[in-house]
Every structure is written in C-alpha cells, then in structure tokens.
Amino acid sequence: MSALTSLLVRDDVVSVQQIEDALQRQVLEGGEIDTALLELGAAAENTLNAYRAASYGLPAASRAEVMNVSAHTLALVSQTLARRHRIVPLALRGDRLVLATARPEPEPEQRQLEEALRLTIEWRIATEARIEAALAHHYGIEIDARMRRLAGLIERSAAGELRAVEPMSELERATQAQSGLLGVLDEGNESDESERFAQTPEAAASCALPPPSASAVRPESMPRDPPFDTPLDFPRDMPRDARLPRDARLPRDEQVEVSRVVHVHERMAGADALSASERRASAEPGQTRNASHEVTEQSMPKVSPLSAPASSGDHSRSPRP
C-alpha cells in the first residue's frame, strides 16, 4: 500500500475492497489512486484532498480555493509553466507564492521554478482530477477525455469536508514497511510494494533462477537434422548429388558408404519392379500353359505312319517264311 491508501484504511475512510478495486482500475487506466477512488465514488473530493496532502506531509487545498482564483494571481504563472509543472497559483503572500499541485516538485526542480518565478514557493496539495480541471478552467489547457468526464462528475457531487488528518508516524511507517503493507517512500512519492521488494538483496537471491544442469545443455539432448535432404524413396530422376548428405564435414569413406547404400536400394527397387511385371504378364487371359509345358511337347518324339504295325486281318502283305 502507498501512504495515501494506508491513511485511508487506517481511519476507515474507505474499505480494503474499495482500495483493491481502485488499484485494479489504476492498473488498467493509469493515473493516480485518488482519481480511481473518485471514479468509484469511494470518498468526497475534499476528503481525498486532505488525505493526499497528509501523505506528503503538506497542507491541503480545497475545491473552492483551487477554482476561485483572481486574474492577478493567475498572471503570476504563465501558461507554459502551468502546463509543464501542472501547477495552479492560489495566492501571493509577500514574497511567497502559494501553488496548488497534485505532486510537489523535487528539491532541484523546485529551485529552478522559484528562479523562474522569482518567488518562494509554498505548496498546497489537491487531487489530480481537481488540478487538471483547474488548468483547463483557468488557462484553457487541453486535458484528456477521462479527466473531462471526471471533472463533470465531481462538480455535480458534494465537495465534502477538508478535514484535518494526522500524518503517519514514523513507528507506523516502520511497522507497515516490515509487514509488507507500505513501500519505501521517497519524499512522499507513492511507490509500489513489489518494486521495493525487488530491490532488496534477499528478494533478488530468492527470485534468481537456478543454473541449468549439465544434462540440460548436452549436445546429445539437442535435436539434430536428418542426414538426408530426402527420404530413401526419392524420385529416380533425382541427380545423385542431391541424395548425398547435407553435412559436408563427413569423411570421404562415410560418403562412399552412403553412396553404396543408395545404389543397393536402387537395385532392390528395380528387382521389385521386374517381379511385378512378370506377375502381371502371367495373369493375362489366353495363356494357360507355361514354358515348361511347351518344352515337354516339343521334346516328345512323333510317330511316323510307316512305322505303325499292320492289322491282324491283312495276311497278303505279310512275308512268307
């Protein structure tokens, strides 16, 4: 939690569930946490002004103070400076200029701004939405559509009470920081608890990934390419050079062995094709005899009519003894 949300929960101004809803909206749409709380209607505007100022340890500015500024006071700050630093002048008290802002400038930028204004700055804190609405109202500075919608929404709502808020004590800051509820605050700036945790050496050691094991980086465990560009059943018109291994680093004797395997495969494929053609020829109609039958018939001797024996009834042609 930030200092603002911690103060709001501490005084039961908003519930923890409302804080969680506002944080989710802040993640999705950006902006300050008080902007999300105003959109949800979790608290009145002046109440959030007071608690935001207490989170920085500075006085707060009400809605009326920010919106009701004289032209003479507005002329003390140019439109360029107002746009660049997101500031609205409220009053001039001697050599001190009271400026309203949602986030006070760090010390180096504040000194530069004082040199440009030739006045000493006294800060007042208001919500982001109120400062943006005042810049559009007093200086005609263009603001985004979200801020325009929110400005119209809070103008129709009651401003609420600008209550006195007890700042968070050092003991409360230390206790909540140790319990993980409050991040490290740098001059009142809100910081995320996850970023604070990531900066500690213990967190960095716990989040560090373990080194990879030796088995996870072995060359044997890595996938390898197949040795051939094409499978063994490649087209027969493919040139032989295309069937050689892609790895040119193979020794010469291994390349010769691969070529011999390819040649054997081609011979086997040719023999299979020849056997298939013979089976198709034997299955054609009209061929009922094979070659062995023809050879047997040709090898059989033919009987001549002259060598046939005479009939038993023909005695005239029989030779006499």
Side-chain angles (χ1 to χ4, degrees):
M1 284 187 181
S2 64
L4 173 58
T5 54
S6 299
L7 290 171
L8 292 170
V9 172
R10 182 198 67 180
D11 296 345
D12 295 328
V13 177
V14 297
S15 64
V16 176
Q17 182 60 48
Q18 289 175 318
I19 293 294
E20 293 178 355
D21 296 341
L23 289 174
Q24 292 179 1
R25 180 181 289 267
Q26 184 184 24
V27 170
L28 294 176
E29 301 186 15
E32 300 289 339
I33 187 66
D34 52 78
T35 300
L37 290 171
L38 284 173
E39 289 175 332
L40 295 173
E45 178 185 350
N46 280 344
T47 301
L48 290 176
N49 288 342
Y51 276 90
R52 184 173 181 88
S55 67
Y56 289 102
L58 294 171
S62 65
R63 177 198 294 181
E65 291 175 335
V66 176
M67 300 305 294
N68 299 323
V69 182
S70 65
H72 175 72
T73 304
L74 291 174
L76 297 176
V77 178
S78 65
Q79 185 187 49
T80 303
L81 288 177
R83 179 189 293 108
R84 181 186 306 166
H85 297 278
R86 317 308 288 183
I87 55 176
V88 177
L90 301 182
L92 179 62
R93 298 174 180 175
D95 60 346
R96 304 180 68 86
L97 180 62
V98 181
L99 296 179
T101 184
R103 185 184 295 270
E105 295 285 0
E107 189 65 26
E109 285 77 5
Q110 179 176 338
R111 288 197 299 265
Q112 295 177 4
L113 183 58
E114 289 176 342
E115 293 176 0
L117 296 173
R118 297 180 181 180
L119 293 169
T120 304
I121 294 175
E122 184 177 332
W123 294 111
R124 295 291 186 270
I125 304 301
T127 60
E128 177 190 32
R130 177 50 55 197
I131 297 299
E132 294 297 312
L135 289 174
H137 177 71
H138 295 312
Y139 291 99
I141 297 175
E142 184 68 22
I143 59 178
D144 58 27
R146 181 189 181 190
M147 288 300 171
R148 288 198 300 269
R149 291 194 304 268
L150 184 55
L153 176 64
I154 59 181
E155 287 294 340
R156 295 189 296 268
S157 304
E161 179 186 1
L162 191 65
R163 56 188 295 182
V165 180
E166 181 182 356
M168 185 176 295
S169 64
E170 294 298 329
L171 179 60
E172 289 176 335
R173 289 173 181 270
T175 303
Q176 293 195 11
Q178 291 177 359
S179 61
L181 297 178
L182 181 63
V184 176
L185 300 178
D186 182 15
E187 297 181 358
N189 291 341
E190 299 175 7
S191 60
D192 187 75
E193 176 64 22
S194 60
E195 295 178 357
R196 183 192 65 82
F197 179 76
Q199 292 175 359
T200 59
E202 294 80 3
S206 62
C207 296
L209 296 176
S213 58
S215 59
V217 295
R218 289 185 306 174
E220 291 79 3
S221 62
M222 299 176 64
R224 295 183 177 180
D225 293 337
F228 294 96
D229 284 333
T230 57
L232 288 179
D233 52 346
F234 39 73
R236 296 185 58 83
D237 57 347
M238 180 180 294
R240 182 175 298 273
D241 294 339
R243 308 170 192 174
L244 293 178
R246 284 184 297 183
D247 193 354
R249 293 173 297 178
L250 288 176
R252 180 63 182 174
D253 53 347
E254 294 186 12
Q255 294 187 10
V256 172
E257 181 65 20
V258 171
S259 301
R260 187 184 65 82
V261 172
V262 173
H263 181 66
V264 171
H265 176 76
E266 290 179 346
R267 294 185 59 185
M268 293 176 62
D272 293 341
L274 182 60
S275 301
S277 61
E278 291 179 353
R279 287 194 297 270
R280 287 195 300 269
S282 61
E284 294 180 359
Q287 296 183 359
T288 56
R289 294 183 303 174
N290 53 20
S292 60
H293 293 163
E294 295 179 359
V295 172
T296 305
E297 292 179 357
Q298 292 178 2
S299 61
M300 292 178 62
K302 294 184 179 180
V303 180
S304 175
L306 297 176
S307 61
S311 175
S312 58
D314 190 1
H315 299 284
S316 61
R317 295 183 180 180
S318 298
R320 293 182 178 271

